Amino acid sequence: EPEVTQTPSHQVTQMGQEVILRCVPISNHLYFYWYRQILGQKVEFLVSFYNNEISEKSEIFDDQFSVERPDGSNFTLKIRSTKLEDSAMYFCASSELADTQYFGPGTRLTVL
Amino acid sequence: QKEVEQNSGPLSVPEGAIASLNCTYSDRGSQSFFWYRQYSGKSPELIMFIYSNGDKEDGRFTAQLNKASQYVSLLIRDSQPSDSATYLCAVSPTARQLTFGSGTQLTVLP
């Protein structure tokens, strides 16, 4: 069964450093999303992406964040200058149409 | 502020019983409703989705939607210990993002 994959599974970085989280959505899916979940808290929407552009973003997704689809298979989330409060699980999701979203296994980001 | 509310639990049921999980949402314009299961340290796994008022059954799972009351529920019949997890209600107001509740922790006792 096709699934969303994410790399790395765990990323440790120093405050102020840039990180890039990578995702490979399900191959025939057209819509891509990033969510995050701080330990013990709700899953929170960050951004949705369709047709090579952002279609929606939340208040969390400020100028420190960017997304890109650099080729036909990868979808990335970049955090330019990480803060301690960026420590969280980051989930990529994809959907064939703008409906049912399937989540990847997540990347645990730890900012020291 | 669009909110999705769930009882955090924990909810404990004996093996073989029916588990009932509830969710209310604030945005009347919401169109799509989802239930995800999340094991500790893992990602959300889709269980059910429902778009129309009424019941939708899939195996041991039944989702119920009442848009007038802004209420969604999930029934799990013949609960198994492997069903022990946190169940997340998610609502899609725009079809391009999901708003999640905080989840209900379910424990099925052998």
Side-chain angles (χ1 to χ4, degrees):
Chain A
E1 187 171 317
E3 57 185 22
V4 178
T5 60
Q6 291 186 243
T7 54
S9 57
H10 191 188
Q11 174 89 47
V12 180
T13 189
Q14 295 290 326
M15 191 169 56
Q17 295 296 304
E18 174 183 289
V19 294
I20 297 176
L21 310 183
R22 291 183 166 80
C23 168
V24 178
I26 295 172
S27 62
N28 64 330
H29 285 189
L30 302 176
Y31 296 80
F32 315 118
Y33 314 84
W34 284 100
Y35 293 82
R36 78 171 186 191
Q37 187 175 32
I38 295 169
L39 188 63
Q41 297 187 24
K42 294 183 184 185
V43 177
E44 300 174 288
F45 169 76
L46 295 178
V47 66
S48 60
F49 191 86
Y50 170 72
N51 201 24
N52 282 321
E53 61 182 27
I54 290 173
S55 47
E56 285 198 17
K57 60 182 181 179
S58 71
E59 291 176 355
I60 303 168
F61 194 88
D62 61 20
D63 292 343
Q64 294 298 313
F65 292 87
S66 62
V67 289
E68 193 179 28
R69 186 148 164 87
D71 53 43
S73 58
N74 290 283
F75 180 50
T76 62
L77 174 69
K78 182 193 291 186
I79 309 175
R80 261 180 273 281
S81 178
T82 50
K83 308 184 193 67
L84 295 176
E85 54 265 37
D86 293 328
S87 294
M89 281 289 285
Y90 287 81
F91 297 113
C92 175
S94 70
S95 62
E96 185 175 2
L97 302 172
D99 53 3
T100 313
Q101 296 180 26
Y102 296 90
F103 282 69
T107 293
R108 179 171 298 284
L109 177 65
T110 302
V111 182
L112 302 176
Chain B
Q1 183 79 349
K2 296 167 184 154
E3 298 285 343
V4 177
E5 299 290 339
Q6 296 181 252
N7 290 329
S8 60
L11 172 67
S12 293
V13 299
E15 185 173 354
I18 295 174
S20 178
L21 306 161
N22 304 314
C23 171
T24 58
Y25 60 95
S26 63
D27 184 359
R28 281 197 172 274
S30 298
Q31 299 295 319
S32 308
F33 307 86
F34 304 86
W35 284 99
Y36 286 83
R37 177 173 61 197
Q38 187 175 32
Y39 294 110
S40 181
K42 302 295 186 183
S43 63
E45 175 193 4
L46 180 68
I47 298 174
M48 294 279 295
F49 59 89
I50 186 166
Y51 303 141
S52 305
N53 278 328
D55 295 0
K56 179 181 178 184
E57 188 174 315
D58 184 1
R60 296 187 296 113
F61 299 97
T62 299
Q64 299 174 316
L65 173 61
N66 184 326
K67 288 186 179 179
S69 300
Q70 294 173 249
Y71 176 88
V72 195
S73 67
L74 179 70
L75 299 177
I76 307 174
R77 287 181 300 282
D78 188 24
S79 296
Q80 302 297 308
S82 58
D83 294 328
S84 298
T86 298
Y87 288 80
L88 307 178
C89 174
V91 173
S92 183
T94 66
R96 286 183 293 277
Q97 63 170 283
L98 295 175
T99 301
F100 281 86
S102 55
T104 298
Q105 187 181 342
L106 172 67
T107 301
V108 180
L109 304 169

